[in-house]
Structure formats: structure tokens, C-alpha cells
């Protein structure tokens, strides 16, 4: 990454607490500060794409973050080549730790938004996606766009025993299974479908032998929501459901609701501007309609969004993710880099304002 940026007229710095890269391009004239963001971490998935450049270390960019890094690098090169026509500064945010390690928050703590010497006026991000949009099409929407992501961790503590005498034990598996099904029912009967909440249990572990009732059962769930009100309600409610089921089964429970990422809320004016820039750069076919639905995928860099006007958009450019066979389409990457450059250049034009 650093080698790709080395020959460009950028002020490059690396993170103190993580492997982040921040680069600042100074325009030839005064103007706004625009932040462009791309994530660059991988997942612990063994790649099976069969591509010549497939990863062989048990890690792969199954969510398309290699595309994001390529797009952002391309934007840095294109904008640097036209630096003499740029009014304002551009901050390039290469973010690690998107897959559950809160990399954006660490970068914020290290001064990301003030990297150019003053606060960024706007921030933009794009994420490739494999569903909902055909290849080569961009989409965006103002308001809530990507869900908040949280995790519910539950440990059920019972009393083990022999399976032939379950009445002498306190079975944590039965209690844990009851919690899983009760949580699903509670979600559907508590939250408005127009302010949705999704809860999915991804892991459930208990026992070591088929004829022994274990002492404990542990499960974890991802919880997604789109509003602060829903988030607060689901945080308290999921814990209470688990406690209620535990009391009914005569077991103990430790239920912890950890808040990971807040909801990504796009600035309406910046979303309108982004759609305008895509149409100017690539034509109407690249952005036929705004995204009508929100995405339950979380993360991007929501830590930046409450602090400056921002917008994140999906782009249909990828096979199904995140799977070992996920691979980019064979179409060139230039449209996304070009769109980022065009959006930045238009944002720095003084006679154009979002909403105008």
C-alpha cells in the first residue's frame, strides 16, 4: 500500500495503534476538505476462487475490500495527476479493522478528521455488493443506510449429569435452545417492520460427549438495527428475555450485549450530490434510481459519519460474498475510481453546493 503511494505528492502517515494509512493531497487552491475512505482488511476464509492472484495464507478479501483499496488507490493517483486543478484538500483513509475491530474509531482517536489541518467538510465511501444491484450500477440514499451492528454473548450455567437421569441435572442446552427461539419470537413481536431489527445466532457451543449433560452452554448472536430507539430497546430486551428463560428453567445466565458499530446515516444533501456526480461521470445508467431499501450489512466507517456530512453507497460489482469462491467481476475498476475523483472535484467547485 505504502509503495503504491510513495511516488505521489501526498503527506502519508501510518497509525500508531493499528496498520492504518492516511494520506493528504493538497490542492492548488483553497477549498473544502474531502475525505475518501476504503477498508482493506481480509477475513479468515480459505480462498477457492482459482484466480492467479488468489490468497494462499488462509485469509481472503471475501467482502471485496481489495476492490475498495484498489479504487481508493486509483483515486489517489488520478487526483494527484490533476492536483493543479483541485481546489481544497483530499484525505485518503485506508482503514483496517473493519471486520469487527472498530478500525475507524481508532483512526478517529488518532486525529483522522483533522489530518489536513482542519476538520473534513464531507466524507464519502463506497462498498461493492453482490445482491440488489446489477454490475456497474451505483446506489445511495439519504438517512439510515447501513445497520448498527452489535453482539449478544450468552453463557448458560446449569448442572451437568448423565443423560439417562436428566431430572437430576439442570440442562443448559435445553435452556439455551429455548432462549434462541424465544429471542426470535420476541424480535418479531416487538419491533415495527419499518424500523427493523435482525437477530441471528451464529454460534452455539455446549458439551463434549453425546451421553453427558454439560454444565454450560454458550451462544453468540449478531444484532442489527437502524435507529437509536430500536438499539436501546433491543439491548435491554434481549438480556431480559435470556434472564426470564433462565429463571423458568432453573439455570443461571450471563448475558452481555456489546455495542460495536452505530448505524450509518447518510447526509441527505451529500447523498443527492453523490448521485449527481455519478450521473455526470458515468451516465444515467450507472445510477438509475436511489436505493429504496436500507442494508442490514453494518460497519463501513460509521464513526466518521456523525462528525461531518457524509454518504456511503453500494456498488454492484462482485460475486456473492463473503464465501471462499467470491471473486470480482472481470469489468475494469476504473468507473469507481473515476467516480470518486469526479465527486471530489465537483465537491471542491465553489459554485456548486449540495442540494443546489
Amino acid at each position: 500500500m505504502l509503495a503504491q503511494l510513495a511516488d505521489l505528492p501526498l503527506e502519508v502517515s501510518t497509525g500508531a495503534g493499528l496498520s492504518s494509512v492516511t494520506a493528504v493531497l493538497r490542492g492548488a487552491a483553497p477549498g473544502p476538505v474531502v475525505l475518501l475512505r476504503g477498508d482493506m482488511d481480509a477475513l479468515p476464509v480459505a480462498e477457492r476462487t482459482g484466480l492467479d492472484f488468489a490468497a494462499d495464507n488462509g485469509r481472503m478479501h471475501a467482502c471485496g475490500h481489495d476492490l475498495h483499496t484498489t479504487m481508493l488507490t486509483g483515486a489517489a493517483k488520478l487526483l494527484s495527476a490533476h492536483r493543479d486543478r483541485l481546489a481544497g484538500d483530499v484525505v485518503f483513509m485506508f482503514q483496517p479493522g473493519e471486520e469487527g475491530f472498530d478500525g475507524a474509531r481508532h483512526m478517529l482517536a488518532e486525529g483522522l478528521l483533522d489530518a489536513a489541518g482542519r476538520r473534513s467538510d464531507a466524507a464519502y465511501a463506497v462498498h461493492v455488493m453482490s445482491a440488489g444491484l446489477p454490475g456497474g450500477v451505483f446506489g445511495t440514499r439519504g438517512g439510515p443506510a447501513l445497520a448498527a451492528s452489535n453482539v449478544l454473548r450468552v453463557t448458560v450455567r446449569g448442572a451437568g449429569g448423565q443423560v439417562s437421569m436428566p431430572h437430576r441435572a439442570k440442562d443448559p442446552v435445553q435452556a439455551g435452545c429455548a432462549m434462541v427461539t424465544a429471542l426470535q419470537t420476541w424480535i418479531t413481536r416487538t419491533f415495527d417492520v419499518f424500523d427493523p431489527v435482525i437477530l441471528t445466532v451464529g454460534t452455539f457451543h455446549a458439551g463434549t460427549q453425546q451421553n453427558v449433560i454439560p454444565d454450560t452452554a454458550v451462544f453468540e448472536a449478531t444484532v442489527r438495527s437502524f435507529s437509536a430507539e430500536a438499539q436501546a430497546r433491543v439491548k435491554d430486551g434481549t438480556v431480559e428475555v435470556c434472564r426470564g428463560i433462565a429463571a423458568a428453567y432453573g439455570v443461571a445466565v450471563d448475558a452481555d450485549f456489546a455495542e460495536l458499530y452505530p448505524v450509518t446515516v447518510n447526509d441527505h444533501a451529500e447523498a443527492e450530490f453523490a448521485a449527481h456526480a455519478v450521473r455526470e461521470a458515468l451516465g444515467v445508467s450507472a445510477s438509475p434510481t436511489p436505493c429504496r431499501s436500507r442494508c442490514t450489512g453494518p460497519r463501513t466507517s460509521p464513526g466518521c459519519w456523525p462528525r461531518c456530512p457524509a454518504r456511503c453507497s453500494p456498488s454492484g460489482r462482485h460475486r456473492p460474498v463473503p464465501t471462499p469462491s467470491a471473486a470480482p467481476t472481470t469489468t475494469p475498476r476504473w468507473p469507481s475510481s473515476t467516480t470518486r475523483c469526479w465527486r471530489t472535484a465537483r465537491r471542491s467547485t465553489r459554485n456548486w453546493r449540495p442540494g443546489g
Side-chain angles (χ1 to χ4, degrees):
M1 187 69 267
L2 293 173
Q4 290 292 320
L5 304 178
D7 295 331
L8 302 179
L10 303 172
E11 301 168 13
V12 179
S13 61
T14 56
L18 71 170
S19 57
S20 62
V21 176
T22 301
V24 179
L25 175 65
R26 304 290 182 184
V33 177
V34 176
L35 184 148
L36 301 179
R37 176 262 185 188
D39 44 8
M40 56 182 182
D41 54 339
L43 285 167
V45 176
E47 185 167 351
R48 297 200 300 268
T49 61
L51 296 171
D52 294 339
F53 52 85
D56 58 6
N57 62 351
R59 303 287 188 271
M60 74 171 290
H61 287 284
C63 279
H65 296 180
D66 49 349
L67 302 183
H68 300 168
T69 304
T70 302
M71 294 173 197
L72 191 56
T73 303
K77 292 182 176 183
L78 287 171
L79 286 170
S80 294
H82 298 282
R83 177 171 171 260
D84 59 326
R85 300 168 57 188
L86 188 65
D89 302 329
V90 185
V91 178
F92 301 96
M93 173 189 179
F94 293 90
Q95 179 200 325
E98 189 260 12
E99 296 287 357
F101 301 98
D102 212 356
R105 198 180 306 275
H106 288 288
M107 293 186 73
L108 288 170
E110 294 182 2
L112 168 72
L113 292 185
D114 299 307
R118 58 188 178 89
R119 185 57 51 102
S120 297
D121 295 288
Y124 302 101
V126 64
H127 202 299
V128 296
M129 63 185 301
S130 59
L133 290 176
V137 172
F138 289 77
T140 190
R141 71 190 308 274
L146 298 175
S149 181
N150 310 285
V151 61
L152 176 67
R153 298 184 177 93
V154 179
T155 300
V156 185
R157 306 185 188 281
Q162 225 285 338
V163 295
S164 63
M165 295 178 286
H167 58 289
R168 293 192 175 184
K170 293 184 183 295
D171 192 342
V173 177
Q174 294 296 317
C177 290
M179 291 175 192
V180 171
T181 56
L183 285 167
Q184 298 295 333
T185 302
W186 178 77
I187 290 290
T188 64
R189 295 299 180 267
T190 302
F191 294 95
D192 189 333
V193 294
F194 295 104
D195 187 14
V197 172
I198 293 176
L199 184 149
T200 299
V201 175
T203 69
F204 193 113
H205 301 285
T208 58
Q209 182 72 23
Q210 51 85 20
N211 63 344
V212 177
I213 296 173
D215 289 321
T216 61
V218 178
F219 68 88
E220 294 187 359
T222 290
V223 186
R224 306 275 168 90
S225 60
F226 284 98
S227 70
E229 294 76 17
Q231 169 116 336
R233 195 174 185 187
V234 75
K235 177 180 180 180
D236 295 335
T238 51
V239 172
E240 290 304 314
V241 167
C242 293
R243 289 174 178 170
I245 298 294
Y249 278 77
V251 297
V253 65
D254 297 325
D256 176 65
F257 188 98
E259 299 180 61
L260 301 182
Y261 294 92
V263 61
T264 299
V265 181
N266 283 342
D267 182 88
H268 285 275
E270 295 297 344
E272 176 192 344
F273 163 72
H276 177 82
V278 168
R279 286 190 292 269
E280 278 195 328
L282 302 178
V284 175
S285 61
S287 181
T289 58
C291 291
R292 289 188 167 86
S293 61
R294 295 166 286 187
C295 178
T296 51
R299 304 179 304 254
T300 65
S301 51
C304 298
W305 280 201
R307 310 185 189 199
C308 62
R311 152 260 175 229
C312 177
S313 67
S315 170
R317 313 189 60 81
H318 211 275
R319 295 179 187 171
V321 295
T323 65
S325 58
T329 57
T330 56
T331 54
R333 298 281 72 79
W334 68 265
S336 292
S337 293
T338 301
T339 302
R340 287 187 180 217
C341 295
W342 189 261
R343 190 162 52 226
T344 303
R346 295 293 283 122
R347 188 64 173 80
S348 69
T349 303
R350 293 188 177 187
N351 61 3
W352 197 96
R353 292 292 181 270

